[in-house]
């Protein structure tokens, strides 16, 4: 009696790897115009960029943002009056502007947080900020899962958070560590040392090293995060920023002065003019180049692909895979609560 031979299982289809054709093309195709096509389309639609500023009152947050974009875009420039008092709780105030340069339009939203760190008891004062950030993710998610969703979903998600560190020259405060511990998982944090002109060059260098060490010891990751480096080129560039530039020691000013026949932004002191864009005086130019000229698009991509996706996955998982707002039995589910974090010693 002949043995039954089992039929061989069909091998799973393996997609073929694309073959790189390195030979000379017979004629011009036009592949190289794709970048120009993308550029034209993007210029028509414009860009969104949402930047949050956090820090105690009096650290020059509004002035720095105005200096960064060379226009009056801060909350104080738009609606502040000198009689405004420091709020008793942390408030979130967003001001939107459209700025244009070289035919490129950008809808810029500056989110200010008046009241942060200004109270006698600052316990849990980061919670309204974390709540606001998660609410923007929730708003985007609800638009995204709609059956008839908009062609272009309005993006109010916070792409970048500038955290202002007081130039004490000593160490980070417990509040600084607590805030960055909580928020570094939900938003791109860029730490900056405010009013760096109050320190000597030696004090500034030592303080920067101390801050980097404290952030490392406390397991706080700031942007650009190491695990998000896409290739060796990114890693080399970002390592230099992480190890040398961070946190940026900056000076802001929207006033111009005459220096050697040129008009420069600066701060006038009895000893001379502190030039905002002079690297020998402060690191404002490095911060501007980093945020706007080299990493703006990456800030948006990390927000969408990492922070938003993390929120989205948790939200849908908690909701049984259904769109937000609909529970398994039709019940409305609340947004994801703030993530608890151990308090700093």
């Amino acid at each position: 009696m002949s043995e039954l031979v089992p039929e061989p299982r069909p091998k799973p289809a393996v997609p073929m790897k694309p073959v790189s054709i390195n030979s000379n093309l017979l004629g011009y195709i036009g592949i190289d115009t794709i970048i120009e096509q993308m550029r034209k389309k993007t210029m028509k639609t414009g860009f969104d960029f949402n930047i949050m500023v956090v820090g105690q009152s009096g650290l020059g947050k509004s002035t720095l943002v105005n200096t960064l974009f060379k226009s009056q875009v801060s909350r104080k420039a738009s609606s502040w009056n000198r009689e405004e008092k420091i709020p008793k709780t942390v408030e979130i105030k967003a001001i939107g502007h459209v700025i244009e340069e070289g035919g490129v339009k950008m809808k810029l939203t500056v989110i200010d947080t008046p009241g942060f760190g200004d109270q006698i008891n600052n316990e849990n004062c980061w919670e309204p900020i974390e709540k606001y950030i998660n609410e923007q993710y929730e708003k985007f998610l609800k638009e995204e899962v709609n059956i008839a969703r908009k062609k272009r979903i309005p993006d109010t998600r916070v792409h970048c958070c500038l955290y202002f560190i007081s130039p004490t020259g000593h160490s980070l405060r417990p509040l600084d560590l607590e805030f960055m511990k909580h928020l570094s998982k939900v938003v791109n944090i860029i730490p900056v040392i405010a009013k760096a002109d109050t320190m000597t060059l030696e004090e500034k260098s030592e303080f920067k090293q101390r801050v980097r060490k404290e952030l490392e010891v406390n397991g706080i990751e700031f942007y650009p995060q190491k695990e998000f480096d896409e290739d060796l080129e990114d890693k080399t560039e970002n390592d230099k920023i992480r190890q040398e530039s961070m946190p940026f020691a900056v000076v802001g000013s929207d006033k111009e002065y005459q220096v050697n026949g040129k008009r420069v932004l600066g701060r006038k002191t009895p000893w001379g003019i502190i030039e905002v864009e002079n690297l020998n005086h402060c690191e404002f130019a490095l911060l501007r180049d980093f945020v706007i000229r080299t990493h703006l698009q990456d800030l948006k991509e990390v927000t969408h692909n990492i922070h938003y996706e993390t929120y989205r996955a948790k939200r849908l998982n908690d909701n049984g895979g259904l769109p937000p707002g609909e529970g398994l039995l039709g019940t409305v589910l609340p947004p994801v609560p703030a993530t608890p974090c151990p308090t700093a010693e």
Side-chain angles (χ1 to χ4, degrees), residues 269-292:
T269 71
W271 305 276
I273 305 294
I274 299 166
E275 299 174 40
V276 167
E277 298 181 279
N278 187 333
L279 287 175
N280 293 321
H281 294 186
C282 78
E283 296 168 349
F284 169 81
L286 293 179
L287 173 65
R288 179 202 56 208
D289 291 355
F290 177 66
V291 172
I292 300 175

Side-chain angles (χ1 to χ4, degrees), residues 11-31:
K11 293 182 179 180
V14 179
M16 292 181 64
K17 292 182 179 180
V19 181
S20 178
I21 302 175
N22 205 19
S23 58
N24 293 327
L25 299 173
L26 299 177
Y28 179 69
I29 299 176
I31 298 173

